[in-house]
Amino acid sequence: QTRYVIIGGVAGGMSAATRLRRLDENARITVFERGDHVSFANCGLPYYLGSVIEERSSLLLQTPASLASRFALDVRVGTEVIGIDSAAKTVRVRDLSTGRESTEGYDALVLSPGASPVRPPLPGGERMLTLRNIDDVDAAMAALAAAPRSALVIGAGFIGLEMVENLAHRGLDVTLVELDDQVLPPLDPEMAGPVAERLRAAGVSVRLGIQVVELGADTATLSDGSVVAADFVLAAIGVRPDTALAKAAGLTIGDRGGIAVDDQLRTSDPHIYAIGDAVEKTDAISGEQRLVALAGLANRHGRMVADVITGRSIRVRPALGTAVVGMMGLTIAATGWNEKVLAARGRNIRVIHTHPASHAGYYPGAESMALKLVVDADTDAILGAQGVGGNGVDKRIDVIATAMAGGITASELADLELAYAPQFSSAKDPVNMLGYVALNAAEGLTPSVQWHELDAARAAGATLIDVRTAGEYAEAAVPGSVNIPLDDIRARQAELPEGRLIVHCKVGQRGHTAVRLLAQLGRDAVNLDGGYLTWAAGTD
Amino acid sequence: QTRYVIIGGVAGGMSAATRLRRLDENARITVFERGDHVSFANCGLPYYLGSVIEERSSLLLQTPASLASRFALDVRVGTEVIGIDSAAKTVRVRDLSTGRESTEGYDALVLSPGASPVRPPLPGGERMLTLRNIDDVDAAMAALAAAPRSALVIGAGFIGLEMVENLAHRGLDVTLVELDDQVLPPLDPEMAGPVAERLRAAGVSVRLGIQVVELGADTATLSDGSVVAADFVLAAIGVRPDTALAKAAGLTIGDRGGIAVDDQLRTSDPHIYAIGDAVEKTDAISGEQRLVALAGLANRHGRMVADVITGRSIRVRPALGTAVVGMMGLTIAATGWNEKVLAARGRNIRVIHTHPASHAGYYPGAESMALKLVVDADTDAILGAQGVGGNGVDKRIDVIATAMAGGITASELADLELAYAPQFSSAKDPVNMLGYVALNAAEGLTPSVQWHELDAARAAGATLIDVRTAGEYAEAAVPGSVNIPLDDIRARQAELPEGRLIVHCKVGQRGHTAVRLLAQLGRDAVNLDGGYLTWAAGTD
Ligand SMILES: Cc1cc2nc3c(=O)[nH]c(=O)nc-3n(C[C@H](O)[C@H](O)[C@H](O)COP(=O)(O)OP(=O)(O)OC[C@H]3O[C@@H](n4cnc5c(N)ncnc54)[C@H](O)[C@@H]3O)c2cc1C
Ligand SMILES: Cc1cc2nc3c(=O)[nH]c(=O)nc-3n(C[C@H](O)[C@H](O)[C@H](O)COP(=O)(O)OP(=O)(O)OC[C@H]3O[C@@H](n4cnc5c(N)ncnc54)[C@H](O)[C@@H]3O)c2cc1C
Ligand SMILES: CC(C)(COP(=O)(O)OP(=O)(O)OC[C@H]1O[C@@H](n2cnc3c(N)ncnc32)[C@H](O)[C@@H]1OP(=O)(O)O)[C@@H](O)C(=O)NCCC(=O)NCCS
Ligand SMILES: CC(C)(COP(=O)(O)OP(=O)(O)OC[C@H]1O[C@@H](n2cnc3c(N)ncnc32)[C@H](O)[C@@H]1OP(=O)(O)O)[C@@H](O)C(=O)NCCC(=O)NCCS
């Protein structure tokens, strides 16, 4: 009887186990899980804490019993694998309730141990909570049962923001502390700005570019000396691959700190495979190794590893890392790389910002969103996209991620046939519109400057022309800009100053028409990409 | 001065005009529109009738005045083009208010005359309304002002259903008559079944496979002799390309009745271009010519034709025809081809039905949907997809349409990295899941039969095993099926009858696991694709 042993019984591990059973009814399949639960919804934990998910049992998708009866799996919870003897092809396991140890042989071993939350080393930090599994959520629930009034969340990444939302939802006064000078570091700052604004509008104290240095009994001291109320403290500053076992077994660990695997998910030992958060992935944009802690990849690679083990020919695709978070009515999603990282590497990129409505403006209920597309200026390949807004942000990012997977270029987004009826989109879907803007940039029809390039361009002598209406200009404008509404440009040509003109409107669209007009009037004109909204989001 | 003349001032025509202006500031651009309005939201008309869109002005996106001041367009409403002299490169136009005629020369002429609603020739049919433009909506509004109690909608296509929803929303008793034996003929019957059910549940009288033969003063007689109340009557049985002018000018008309154009949108006359509903498109699946009356294509081709005319090199992509309609809380979307048409042509196809939730089941508010994927069995290419359900149907169809555009195969859908957080999706997004099922089919791991093949398969000796729970089986089951719950199969092997086994569960997922198990027990087993839900939707 072939023996498959799997370490870790959640996203990656259990997906491997169930698929293995569907492919091999005769094998002995054993899953070791050191926690008391398997197959739980990690991604639901913050919402259970916020009572959005009311029943703890909703988090538990399967149990050892249900997995035994359906898949004939031998699932051992409360059982830690404490060593791998790759020469003997055995694992050493310890029953955590009895302390009893035993040895189990394998023909193929799958590691899906996940990643542990990083705990910042802080004086007084013992009471700091983190969130990874059911025990963690039980501990956090117990802490919340003591009716804390204030909460401190350390780290403004995806899970940090989910925690802020849920703690605020419970009525706590929440402080969010982030070392970076923006929330959601995977986004570019002008995309993250409105997220911080939304948090502040909801009463969350958002402290950026600062660190927690010490925890008191019900307070926390920050690196600027300020003290904040912190009855409840949770850290969400990232995760570290759980590689202790792999290291001890002599498996190769990559430069990014994850278990190294090939495109068949095989580690440096031919009988040991690894998947999930513990493993380095090949990045789809750079081809480099990278850590991506996402449930979709863990599940998918879990299935794939079963296919490899049973002799099917598969090849893991490089990872884009598409992710989304919902927070206080905002949907925030991203795929691929952002501008700041690509710019830091000196890549020749083109950046596009738009602010479309989720659906046709003439149909009630449209919500606005900000979209950003980052494009390889040499090849027109899409390198990444970000979206922040209401309804439909997830749809647009999913479409772009799919386009990237299909090798569709930025300009070709213009041609996608996306479903349109007034409740769902516009005749030119926001994704199509990104394609149009990309086409205009690629063909040099409407050159643009970015919000962060504006000051330098003006210092070099360019004049900023605001082509919005006088009413819009009166409400709020970029200091020093000159207002000549788009519809007046032909008549008021004579008023245009000499030299380079940077035009802008609210979102970039009227600016585009203005640039086309000015260019044909013989002027050197560029569009402020994303218009006033992107500029304001970036500079606020 | 170059002279561009455009016939038709709405989706295609006005998109061409604005883009032409952005590309050529010096040209004279004249738009002739025989109606009194340009740039209106055709797609919003049904919702204005239902008072979902409250202001008539919301439908009018631009006016001749606004287009003159922004784009220096000469827009002549109430002006019909009555003839084209392609040798002289002139059009003959008639001012419809004065009857005065004149001649206008062009260097390039763009036809975007659209398509007219087909009016079934019925005795008494003069009072029958149709919906295409603002005049039509005004007429319908006037008819509704007379407070009709009953409405008859002829035609259960996308616009017909939108009208039914809006008339029901206004409180009318609605009868929907459709010649086909299903609603929404672009869908396959088992996908359309639940739509008809939803209509009936909302109190709409749905009459399928029947025709209206005569209209009385406030009734209609159907082909079976029955008489239905019909104070208000609207026909939405499709549109016919408006080709009178093109024909008279001697331009080539294609076999499908639309103006023939090449992949640069040029007609048989090198100076005349045509776009929009009036034009035949190349189908992306078959390569044949086809009529596709969709706003997205009209807008896009409007922009493209301006690029061609001004010397840019573009090439029109073949059309998929992605479409969506929202109706009574259902979202119904489709792209590419359906099963019935492909089957009728004898194509070797594979069909997949799933019934996923819009997002993770453990997070509140998930809505269920039915998805269908039609795959080329030889190449694994995606040929079409359909979705019916709540939230997120439009997203999945857009993702699949994008995958098709990118040449992603059905099996490769498994690898798409789609954004997952519990509010938005599942760790395996429904689109990924279609990919998994496609992979299992392609590899022969889990062969399936379709709902419409079940009777024949059973007649040939197969036994139907229902692997749902005893409770589910008791509630409703396929007549003659044997209930052996999935989790009991290993123990109750001996009870399985001889010969081929067809297994089924509610949606196909447990059936898949059952087939894998049975196959490894040495049995000839196939899965009923889509499970009980698809079977019930198809046979009801
Ligand atoms: C709060 C939270 C929210 C999240 N939200 C999202 C989201 O919205 N979207 C998204 O895509 N991803 C999200 N994730 C990430 C996602 O849950 C992970 O990517 C995924 O669970 C990784 O799967 P895995 O199998 O690698 O690890 P895990 O699912 O963490 O499973 C690893 C298991 O291995 C066990 N284990 C480790 N070592 C041993 C050992 N030596 N012996 C026995 N057992 C061992 C651990 O106890 C653990 O249970 C979230 C994660 C958390 C914690
Ligand atoms: C009620 C309704 C709902 C719809 N809903 C959707 C939807 O949800 N999604 C979707 O994608 N599509 C939808 N459509 C279809 C969409 O509106 C059309 O595909 C699109 O408008 C076609 O653009 P066009 O430029 O070809 O024609 P049109 O927009 O119809 O414009 C053609 C214009 O040309 C004028 N014209 C014709 N001949 C002459 C002449 N000789 N001289 C002067 N003027 C002339 C006509 O008066 C007309 O105004 C809907 C259509 C209708 C009627
Ligand atoms: C649920 C879990 C045990 C895996 O079980 P599973 O049976 O492999 O997976 P699912 O229930 O998702 O079902 C997927 C299978 O059903 C099949 N399937 C789904 N719908 C189907 C349908 N309508 N018809 C036929 N087959 C279908 C798929 O093809 C797939 O089978 P395959 O892998 O053999 O191709 C494991 O993923 C898990 O423990 N998840 C919870 C933890 C987690 O993921 N956490 C992170 C996110 S919160
Ligand atoms: C609206 C209409 C007049 C066309 O006007 P338009 O200015 O060409 O189109 P839009 O307002 O959609 O704007 C699109 C332009 O803005 C540009 N744009 C959009 N957002 C932008 C941004 N943020 N930054 C820069 N440029 C942007 C696009 O690139 C495009 O310009 P291009 O064609 O030169 O590439 C025409 O489509 C119409 O009449 N529509 C109504 C009728 C209709 O479509 N009915 C059917 C559907 S209900």
Side-chain angles (χ1 to χ4, degrees):
Chain A
Q1 198 185 19
T2 314
R3 294 159 308 166
Y4 302 129
V5 168
I6 294 164
I7 304 176
V10 196
M14 205 54 83
S15 297
T18 51
R19 174 75 176 170
L20 271 174
R21 176 56 74 219
R22 280 190 289 267
L23 296 177
D24 188 349
E25 175 64 17
N26 301 315
R28 177 162 149 197
I29 306 175
T30 312
V31 181
F32 294 109
E33 168 55 55
R34 70 177 160 210
D36 290 329
H37 303 89
V38 290
S39 286
F40 56 85
N42 331 48
C43 317
L45 303 180
Y47 299 94
Y48 174 62
L49 289 180
S51 299
V52 176
I53 297 173
E54 292 177 15
E55 298 296 334
R56 182 172 177 279
S57 60
S58 313
L59 300 172
L60 306 172
L61 306 185
Q62 294 280 351
T63 62
S66 69
L67 291 159
S69 64
R70 176 149 309 171
F71 297 106
L73 298 179
D74 180 7
V75 178
R76 313 249 196 102
V77 292
T79 307
E80 184 166 12
V81 176
I82 54 172
I84 302 170
D85 184 338
S86 56
K89 295 214 271 176
T90 59
V91 294
R92 184 87 186 148
V93 305
R94 179 185 292 147
D95 180 323
L96 295 177
S97 57
T98 63
R100 197 165 310 159
E101 295 186 6
S102 57
T103 297
E104 195 84 30
Y106 64 78
D107 296 294
L109 174 65
V110 177
L111 307 184
S112 191
S116 8
V118 175
R119 291 178 69 87
L122 291 181
E126 303 72 30
R127 71 184 183 90
M128 182 171 49
L129 300 166
T130 55
L131 211 52
R132 176 186 189 187
N133 55 31
I134 299 289
D135 283 354
D136 295 339
V137 91
D138 288 344
M141 256 334 207
L144 289 171
R149 300 235 297 251
S150 60
L152 168 66
V153 174
I154 309 176
F158 282 37
I159 295 176
L161 289 199
E162 290 183 343
M163 281 308 305
V164 168
E165 146 146 294
N166 281 288
L167 293 167
H169 184 71
R170 288 184 75 104
L172 279 80
D173 277 332
V174 185
T175 301
L176 173 64
V177 172
E178 166 62 51
L179 181 58
D180 204 331
D181 52 13
Q182 63 168 78
V183 299
L184 287 175
L187 298 193
D188 288 312
E190 81 285 6
M191 300 302 286
V195 180
E197 228 171 77
R198 176 71 59 110
L199 284 162
R200 291 195 170 109
V204 174
S205 168
V206 181
R207 307 290 304 270
L208 302 176
I210 207 167
Q211 252 179 304
V212 179
V213 293
E214 185 172 356
L215 292 186
D218 54 7
T219 58
T221 307
L222 308 189
S223 46
D224 67 348
S226 61
V227 175
V228 301
D231 294 341
F232 177 98
V233 181
L234 187 131
I237 60 169
V239 296
R240 193 174 286 136
D242 225 328
T243 53
L245 207 55
K247 260 185 206 150
L251 301 179
T252 303
I253 305 296
D255 290 340
R256 311 301 300 269
I259 304 172
V261 293
D262 64 14
D263 66 1
Q264 308 245 315
L265 300 164
R266 213 179 298 257
T267 67
S268 51
D269 181 292
H271 304 285
I272 306 180
Y273 302 81
I275 53 177
D277 289 359
V279 161
E280 293 185 357
K281 279 106 184 159
T282 302
D283 183 83
I285 306 297
S286 69
E288 299 163 353
Q289 294 307 105
R290 174 185 170 200
L291 294 169
V292 193
L294 288 171
L297 290 171
N299 270 272
R300 197 159 319 149
H301 294 171
R303 182 185 188 278
M304 282 185 163
V305 82
D307 284 18
V308 175
I309 289 172
T310 54
R312 292 184 159 63
S313 101
I314 64 118
R315 210 162 285 287
V316 174
R317 277 184 81 101
L320 280 176
T322 312
V324 63
V325 63
M327 193 211 69
M328 299 181 170
L330 282 182
T331 300
I332 306 144
T335 187
W337 283 42
N338 60 30
E339 176 184 3
K340 57 189 176 188
V341 174
L342 288 163
R345 295 184 164 214
R347 282 287 289 268
N348 184 19
I349 55 173
R350 198 145 53 212
V351 170
I352 292 163
H353 294 86
T354 60
H355 298 269
S358 54
H359 65 241
Y362 62 80
Y363 189 91
E367 301 182 337
S368 72
M369 69 179 86
L371 290 179
K372 176 171 186 171
L373 193 74
V374 186
V375 181
D376 187 311
D378 300 321
T379 65
D380 202 35
I382 305 169
L383 301 177
Q386 300 163 46
V388 176
N391 266 336
V393 168
D394 55 322
K395 174 163 82 172
R396 273 62 186 217
I397 294 299
D398 276 357
V399 166
I400 295 172
T402 303
M404 291 171 79
I408 288 171
T409 64
S411 300
E412 288 168 350
L413 294 179
D415 279 331
L416 292 180
E417 283 183 77
L418 304 170
Y420 165 57
Q423 308 93 310
F424 303 101
S425 180
S426 294
K428 295 163 188 160
D429 186 86
V431 174
N432 297 137
M433 207 62 112
L434 286 172
Y436 285 143
V437 181
L439 265 169
N440 293 329
E443 295 180 357
L445 279 176
T446 287
S448 66
V449 293
Q450 292 300 314
W451 61 276
H452 53 75
E453 297 167 338
L454 182 60
D455 287 347
R458 293 174 78 183
T463 310
L464 184 63
I465 310 287
D466 186 337
V467 303
R468 298 177 304 160
T469 63
E472 290 174 279
Y473 184 74
E475 257 180 49
V478 182
S481 62
V482 179
N483 182 223
I484 304 184
L486 171 57
D487 294 354
D488 300 349
I489 293 179
R490 285 185 189 83
R492 292 172 59 186
Q493 282 179 55
E495 289 173 47
L496 291 167
E498 298 279 291
R500 167 167 264 212
L501 302 174
I502 301 172
V503 301
H504 86 85
C505 61
K506 184 175 168 192
V507 299
Q509 188 165 13
R510 282 171 288 174
H512 161 58
T513 291
V515 166
R516 293 304 312 140
L517 171 54
L518 291 166
Q520 296 185 77
L521 298 176
R523 299 301 310 258
D524 170 19
V526 298
N527 193 17
L528 179 62
D529 183 63
Y532 184 83
L533 288 183
T534 296
W535 175 83
T539 51
D540 266 6
Chain B
Q1 200 187 15
T2 313
R3 293 159 309 164
Y4 302 130
V5 168
I6 294 164
I7 302 175
V10 196
M14 206 54 83
S15 297
T18 52
R19 174 74 176 171
L20 270 174
R21 175 57 75 219
R22 282 190 287 268
L23 297 177
D24 188 349
E25 175 63 18
N26 301 312
R28 178 163 148 194
I29 305 175
T30 311
V31 181
F32 294 108
E33 168 55 57
R34 70 177 160 210
D36 290 329
H37 303 89
V38 289
S39 286
F40 57 84
N42 331 48
C43 319
L45 303 180
Y47 299 95
Y48 173 63
L49 289 180
S51 299
V52 176
I53 297 174
E54 291 176 17
E55 297 297 333
R56 183 173 177 278
S57 61
S58 313
L59 300 173
L60 306 172
L61 307 185
Q62 296 280 352
T63 62
S66 70
L67 291 159
S69 64
R70 175 149 309 171
F71 297 105
L73 298 179
D74 180 7
V75 177
R76 314 250 194 99
V77 293
T79 308
E80 183 166 12
V81 176
I82 54 172
I84 301 170
D85 182 340
S86 56
K89 295 215 271 175
T90 59
V91 293
R92 185 86 187 148
V93 305
R94 178 184 294 145
D95 179 324
L96 295 177
S97 56
T98 63
R100 199 167 309 160
E101 294 187 9
S102 58
T103 298
E104 195 84 28
Y106 63 78
D107 296 297
L109 174 66
V110 177
L111 306 184
S112 191
S116 8
V118 175
R119 291 179 68 89
L122 292 181
E126 303 72 30
R127 70 183 185 91
M128 180 171 52
L129 300 165
T130 55
L131 210 51
R132 177 189 188 185
N133 56 30
I134 299 290
D135 282 354
D136 294 339
V137 92
D138 288 344
M141 255 337 204
L144 290 171
R149 302 237 298 251
S150 60
L152 168 66
V153 174
I154 309 176
F158 283 35
I159 295 175
L161 289 199
E162 289 183 344
M163 281 309 306
V164 169
E165 147 148 292
N166 281 288
L167 293 167
H169 184 71
R170 289 185 73 108
L172 278 81
D173 278 333
V174 186
T175 301
L176 173 64
V177 172
E178 166 62 50
L179 180 58
D180 204 331
D181 51 14
Q182 61 168 77
V183 300
L184 286 174
L187 298 193
D188 287 313
E190 80 285 8
M191 300 302 285
V195 179
E197 228 170 77
R198 176 71 60 107
L199 284 162
R200 291 194 170 109
V204 175
S205 167
V206 181
R207 306 291 304 271
L208 301 175
I210 206 167
Q211 251 177 304
V212 179
V213 292
E214 182 169 358
L215 292 187
D218 53 10
T219 58
T221 307
L222 308 189
S223 46
D224 67 348
S226 60
V227 175
V228 301
D231 294 340
F232 177 100
V233 181
L234 187 131
I237 60 168
V239 296
R240 191 174 289 136
D242 224 328
T243 54
L245 207 53
K247 260 186 205 151
L251 302 178
T252 304
I253 305 296
D255 290 341
R256 311 301 298 271
I259 304 171
V261 293
D262 65 15
D263 65 3
Q264 309 245 314
L265 301 162
R266 214 179 297 257
T267 67
S268 50
D269 180 293
H271 304 285
I272 306 180
Y273 302 81
I275 54 178
D277 289 0
V279 160
E280 292 186 358
K281 280 106 185 160
T282 303
D283 183 84
I285 305 298
S286 69
E288 299 162 350
Q289 294 308 106
R290 174 184 169 202
L291 294 169
V292 193
L294 289 171
L297 291 171
N299 271 271
R300 196 159 320 147
H301 294 171
R303 183 186 187 276
M304 284 184 161
V305 82
D307 283 20
V308 174
I309 290 173
T310 55
R312 292 183 156 64
S313 100
I314 63 120
R315 212 162 281 289
V316 174
R317 279 184 80 103
L320 280 175
T322 312
V324 63
V325 64
M327 193 214 68
M328 298 180 170
L330 282 182
T331 301
I332 306 144
T335 187
W337 282 42
N338 60 30
E339 177 183 1
K340 57 189 175 184
V341 174
L342 288 162
R345 292 182 167 217
R347 283 288 289 266
N348 184 18
I349 55 173
R350 196 142 57 209
V351 171
I352 293 164
H353 294 85
T354 60
H355 297 269
S358 54
H359 66 240
Y362 62 81
Y363 189 92
E367 300 182 337
S368 72
M369 69 179 85
L371 290 179
K372 175 169 186 171
L373 193 74
V374 186
V375 181
D376 186 311
D378 300 319
T379 66
D380 201 36
I382 305 168
L383 300 177
Q386 299 163 46
V388 176
N391 265 335
V393 167
D394 55 324
K395 173 163 83 172
R396 274 62 186 217
I397 295 299
D398 276 358
V399 165
I400 295 171
T402 303
M404 291 170 78
I408 288 171
T409 64
S411 300
E412 288 168 351
L413 293 179
D415 278 330
L416 291 180
E417 284 183 76
L418 303 171
Y420 164 56
Q423 306 92 313
F424 304 100
S425 179
S426 295
K428 295 163 188 158
D429 186 86
V431 175
N432 298 137
M433 207 64 111
L434 287 172
Y436 286 143
V437 181
L439 264 169
N440 292 330
E443 295 179 356
L445 279 175
T446 287
S448 66
V449 293
Q450 292 300 314
W451 62 274
H452 53 76
E453 298 166 337
L454 182 62
D455 286 348
R458 292 174 79 183
T463 310
L464 183 63
I465 310 287
D466 185 337
V467 302
R468 298 177 303 161
T469 63
E472 290 173 279
Y473 184 74
E475 256 178 51
V478 183
S481 61
V482 179
N483 182 222
I484 305 184
L486 171 57
D487 294 353
D488 299 350
I489 293 180
R490 285 185 190 82
R492 292 172 57 185
Q493 282 179 57
E495 291 174 44
L496 290 167
E498 298 279 292
R500 165 165 266 212
L501 303 172
I502 301 172
V503 300
H504 86 84
C505 62
K506 185 176 166 194
V507 300
Q509 187 164 13
R510 283 171 287 174
H512 162 57
T513 291
V515 167
R516 292 304 312 141
L517 170 55
L518 290 166
Q520 296 184 77
L521 297 176
R523 299 302 307 260
D524 170 19
V526 297
N527 194 16
L528 179 61
D529 183 62
Y532 184 82
L533 289 184
T534 297
W535 176 83
T539 50
D540 267 8

